Amino acid sequence: MGRRPCCAKEGLNRGIWTAGEDKILIDYIQAHGEGKWRDLPQRAGLKRCGKSCRLRWLNYLRPGIKRGNISMDEEELIIRLHNLLGNRWSLIAGRLPGRTDNEIKNHWNTNLSKKVQDQTHQNPVKLSNESEPQSEMLKEESPPRLETHPVIRTKAIRCTRVILPPPLLDQVASKATSVHNSNSETSSYSSSRQSNLSSDFLANFNIDDLLMSDQAQNLDSCFPPEGEKVDCYPSNFTLPMHDDAGCIRSEGLERWREDDEPFRTNGDFDFNSLASFLDSDDRFDLDE
DNA sequence: AACTAGAACAACCGCCAAAGC
DNA sequence: AGCTTTGGCGGTTGTTCTAGT
């Protein structure tokens, strides 16, 4: 017994969309709006799966989509964000106006993964391609804000996660678990940490729960002394949360909240703040 | 000009979480 | 509370394009 398919496959068109199909879809969505994807093909008169319609619209037909010619600036940002977020393409796409998760994923798989792999082999702690002059330039100048295209956001617009380097995750997990058990019904620690060591820098903590807990201060003991750098994959980077200390403390979390940094305690994840954050002096120092 | 291999890109698939009932 | 439906995500596959021989 398999899962029920999203739609009947018989009699449906597959493969590349024709200009006529695109027009029908655009006209229908302009008239009736997005949503109800399962019923949309029938109502619009398309011989396509609803999922296929949704994908076509979100990735290619939607207004504001940029196609092709991913710039060096964008590549640099993708690499940095991938370093932080792993294969969370929708989150990465959310930071690149006009780009879709599918395009970024394809570009990564065909270009950037190899590039990064090569650079990692050449120098394990350097993620930027320093042989290219434009990357040199980026070190001194902030990446331009790309405001002329809307950010393509699909589902991944909420984030209740805290970025932690892998060596600290396990330590924090045990602390956080006790916080969770005694305090919150919503906090949780992602078990994916065990299965995806390289990319999972994110622990599923609800920051408010941690801050409100009497035990939050116990988290301090997980982290290295102030000013001590964290040595971890893929490079040494300094955690940004507490002055120049390179360590996370509960008061650091508190300050982060007050400063309205990217991970807001109301659960919303602000990518513009993240971009500013990446550009700022407090960012993870990926180039060291 | 014809063929081939690899790159690039579009689309599909299965799984999952949230929403609705 | 539990089941169903819907929408979204990331991995993967299939097709087209392009450069090299």
Side-chain angles (χ1 to χ4, degrees), chain A residues 62-116:
Chain A
R62 212 173 143 143
I65 298 273
K66 274 196 283 185
R67 305 292 313 153
N69 298 324
I70 293 180
S71 67
M72 288 295 299
D73 291 348
E74 288 174 305
E75 285 193 350
E76 186 84 9
L77 191 53
I78 291 168
I79 290 169
R80 288 184 177 189
L81 288 169
H82 185 270
N83 188 40
L84 283 168
L85 302 167
N87 293 355
R88 292 174 170 86
W89 305 116
S90 61
L91 286 171
I92 294 171
R95 178 58 204 107
L96 286 134
R99 300 295 184 187
T100 67
D101 55 355
N102 205 40
E103 185 177 23
I104 291 170
K105 179 173 58 182
N106 282 333
H107 191 68
W108 176 270
N109 287 336
T110 54
N111 295 295
L112 299 181
S113 63
K114 279 176 246 164
K115 195 184 275 189
V116 169

Side-chain angles (χ1 to χ4, degrees), chain A residues 221-263:
Chain A
S221 62
C222 297
F223 300 102
E226 272 188 41
E228 191 168 304
K229 284 215 165 191
V230 180
D231 187 24
C232 65
Y233 175 89
S235 64
N236 292 340
F237 62 80
T238 303
L239 291 164
M241 302 174 68
H242 188 251
D243 299 322
D244 300 319
C247 62
I248 299 172
R249 291 174 173 273
S250 55
E251 61 267 40
L253 288 171
E254 189 66 57
R255 205 195 82 178
W256 215 14
R257 165 156 78 175
E258 290 165 0
D259 290 350
D260 200 22
E261 289 286 11
F263 299 89

Side-chain angles (χ1 to χ4, degrees), chain A residues 122-137:
Chain A
Q122 285 167 15
N123 186 345
V125 298
K126 288 181 181 175
L127 290 170
S128 298
N129 186 348
E130 296 193 350
S131 65
E132 305 203 32
Q134 209 168 343
S135 293
E136 277 295 331
M137 192 177 69

Side-chain angles (χ1 to χ4, degrees), chain A residues 38-57:
Chain A
R38 187 186 289 262
D39 301 332
L40 186 149
Q42 195 175 12
R43 285 184 277 127
L46 281 165
K47 291 182 176 178
R48 288 278 180 176
C49 170
K51 271 190 165 187
S52 181
C53 294
R54 176 186 162 271
L55 196 71
R56 184 67 185 169
W57 173 254

Side-chain angles (χ1 to χ4, degrees), chain A residues 13-64:
Chain A
N13 295 340
R14 294 170 62 85
I16 303 293
W17 280 63
T18 65
E21 287 177 312
D22 283 347
K23 185 174 186 315
I24 292 171
L25 183 57
I26 291 168
D27 288 347
Y28 182 85
I29 290 176
Q30 282 177 346
H32 300 92
E34 296 179 40
K36 304 281 182 189
W37 296 109
R38 187 186 289 262
D39 301 332
L40 186 149
Q42 195 175 12
R43 285 184 277 127
L46 281 165
K47 291 182 176 178
R48 288 278 180 176
C49 170
K51 271 190 165 187
S52 181
C53 294
R54 176 186 162 271
L55 196 71
R56 184 67 185 169
W57 173 254
L58 289 178
N59 286 342
Y60 304 99
L61 303 178
R62 212 173 143 143

